[in-house]
Amino acid sequence: HCTGCQRMSASAFSLSAAIPTPGFEVTKGEPVIGGLRGAPHHFFCPYCMSWMFTRMEGMDEFVNLRVTMLDDPSWFTPFIETWTSEKLPWATTPAVHGFPRLPPMEAYAGLIGEYLSSTA
């Protein structure tokens, strides 16, 4: 089963990172598609059915990886918070940006550039 299964219990948060597709590889096991089976494709651990990563149609350059799948996710700090329209009033993150749903497509280039300059 997946490395992160024990760390992926129910929560107020779903922490993920956009990983460039060329740098992403499943090295063990065979994830299965779950959920509605339409676009986007959400891949799950076949053992515990925890969501592992998503491949978004039209955003082929990135894979949306659950950070809890990493051996050491402690280095990761949220930069963008999405779906804030549905969050509980007391749930907060240190994210620099928040969006009621997803950022508009035209905002991604600027957000990526800002993130890269903040980590340099």
Side-chain angles (χ1 to χ4, degrees):
H1 65 280
C2 57
T3 304
C5 287
Q6 296 79 19
R7 294 188 298 261
M8 296 190 342
S9 60
S11 170
F13 306 97
S14 172
L15 189 60
S16 60
I19 306 296
T21 300
F24 178 78
E25 179 182 2
V26 175
T27 59
K28 185 177 179 184
E30 191 66 37
V32 297
I33 295 176
L36 299 177
R37 300 190 184 266
H41 291 120
H42 300 292
F43 290 84
F44 292 78
C45 168
Y47 178 78
C48 68
M49 294 309 292
S50 292
W51 170 47
M52 299 167 61
F53 63 93
T54 300
R55 294 187 185 274
M56 301 286 289
E57 192 171 300
M59 293 187 70
D60 299 330
E61 61 273 7
F62 292 103
V63 173
N64 188 27
L65 174 69
R66 287 286 298 268
V67 175
T68 52
M69 297 309 307
L70 302 172
D71 289 336
D72 178 15
S74 65
W75 60 271
F76 188 85
T77 302
F79 181 72
I80 298 170
E81 184 177 12
T82 60
W83 295 97
T84 58
S85 62
E86 297 184 13
K87 78 179 197 173
L88 299 170
W90 50 264
T92 60
T93 74
V96 177
H97 298 280
F99 296 90
R101 293 183 158 240
L102 297 172
M105 286 304 280
E106 59 273 7
Y108 279 94
L111 290 165
I112 291 168
E114 182 182 341
Y115 175 77
L116 291 173
S117 67
S118 73
T119 60

